[in-house]
Amino acid sequence: FDIWGCLREPDARRDFLLGQDIASLGIKTNKMQYVLSIDNMEIPLLNGTTIHPILLQYSVECPYRISDAAVMGKDLILNEASKWISPHREFSDKGQYHETAAEILISNLRIMQENNVLHNAISTQNYTWALELLDFELSSSPKHPYEREDYQRHVPTLMPREIMYTYQIIVEIADCLGEDIDFQRIDLIFLENGFDLNKYNIKTTSRL
């Protein structure tokens, strides 16, 4: 259920609580404000029932998500990228903003996985151009784990795919900025954060 930003109440509350969990780890996120029930409004469903829509109120530093690049313009994107600060080092080549983004996004992923947090929806739609991580209704943390046991047992197997999704975001940021990627440098940033990408190489054998 998703109508112009409305959520189901359990999803809105989970988004609010998990967002606070992730922000407490030092990861840049939206600033949660409140969950609001619009009691004087009802939305009819096809099955004949009605629901009361719920709004999750929060603020962000940048209103544009990375997936919005096509409607932003290069100057606006560069303006946002120029504000990025690496958590570990200063890049001498300011024309390679995607490497600073890689430092931030991969560090975020390391912190979450070290704390057994699964975002479960990492994508260009859920990061702003201020590199704020958003949308936590599908997330899980030790403080707010999934309620169903069969969901909980899948958490360890879902974490590796967030490495791939983070890499995809970095590649898309570089493309939006018109920057050439040195993949060995990006792989090294992953390795420095404890992610050895060689573990995920697919080996094939041929049969005659």
Side-chain angles (χ1 to χ4, degrees):
F1 167 56
D2 185 5
I3 303 175
W4 292 100
C6 294
L7 297 168
R8 298 187 312 120
E9 184 171 356
D11 292 337
R13 293 188 181 279
R14 185 168 194 85
D15 197 328
F16 185 95
L17 294 171
L18 267 294
Q20 291 183 320
D21 287 352
I22 292 175
S24 72
L25 299 175
I27 293 172
K28 190 174 185 180
T29 69
N30 49 311
K31 292 179 172 59
M32 295 293 184
Q33 296 170 336
Y34 51 81
V35 175
L36 176 65
S37 175
I38 308 176
D39 294 329
N40 61 348
M41 179 184 296
E42 292 186 346
I43 297 177
L45 301 181
L46 294 178
N47 62 7
T49 61
T50 59
I51 56 174
H52 295 289
I54 303 293
L55 293 178
L56 174 62
Q57 178 70 39
Y58 60 81
S59 63
V60 290
E61 179 181 317
C62 176
Y64 296 102
R65 303 190 183 213
I66 294 172
S67 58
D68 294 329
V71 298
M72 291 175 64
K74 185 70 172 291
D75 290 343
L76 182 55
I77 293 174
L78 285 172
N79 181 62
E80 293 296 333
S82 67
K83 302 173 187 176
W84 298 341
I85 299 175
S86 167
H88 300 300
R89 71 183 110 188
E90 288 290 336
F91 285 101
S92 57
D93 186 357
K94 295 300 182 181
Q96 294 293 341
Y97 290 116
H98 75 275
E99 292 187 10
T100 302
E103 283 276 349
I104 295 168
L105 302 188
I106 297 169
S107 177
N108 287 351
L109 185 62
R110 172 183 55 78
I111 292 169
M112 285 192 289
Q113 297 203 355
E114 286 177 349
N115 288 277
N116 199 31
V117 173
L118 175 73
H119 184 275
N120 205 20
I122 289 180
S123 71
T124 57
Q125 294 183 358
N126 291 334
Y127 265 109
T128 73
W129 277 100
L131 302 185
E132 301 159 290
L133 183 59
L134 310 176
D135 294 348
F136 310 104
E137 66 268 20
L138 299 179
S139 302
S140 173
S141 73
K143 190 175 179 181
H144 296 97
Y146 294 131
E147 295 179 358
R148 291 177 51 171
E149 185 177 348
D150 57 332
Y151 288 2
Q152 292 181 31
R153 67 185 176 88
H154 286 298
V155 169
T157 61
L158 292 173
M159 285 187 171
R161 73 177 186 174
E162 304 216 306
I163 300 171
M164 177 186 68
Y165 294 156
T166 299
Y167 212 131
Q168 288 177 332
I169 295 170
I170 295 165
V171 171
E172 186 152 345
I173 287 173
D175 182 64
C176 290
L177 293 167
E179 297 177 355
D180 294 328
I181 295 182
D182 183 335
F183 289 100
Q184 290 184 338
R185 292 183 69 173
I186 302 302
D187 290 357
L188 179 60
I189 297 172
F190 273 101
L191 184 60
E192 291 172 346
N193 280 273
F195 300 111
D196 183 358
L197 301 185
N198 289 321
K199 293 181 179 179
Y200 304 99
N201 285 345
I202 298 175
K203 297 180 181 180
T204 60
T205 57
S206 60
R207 294 181 181 180
L208 297 177

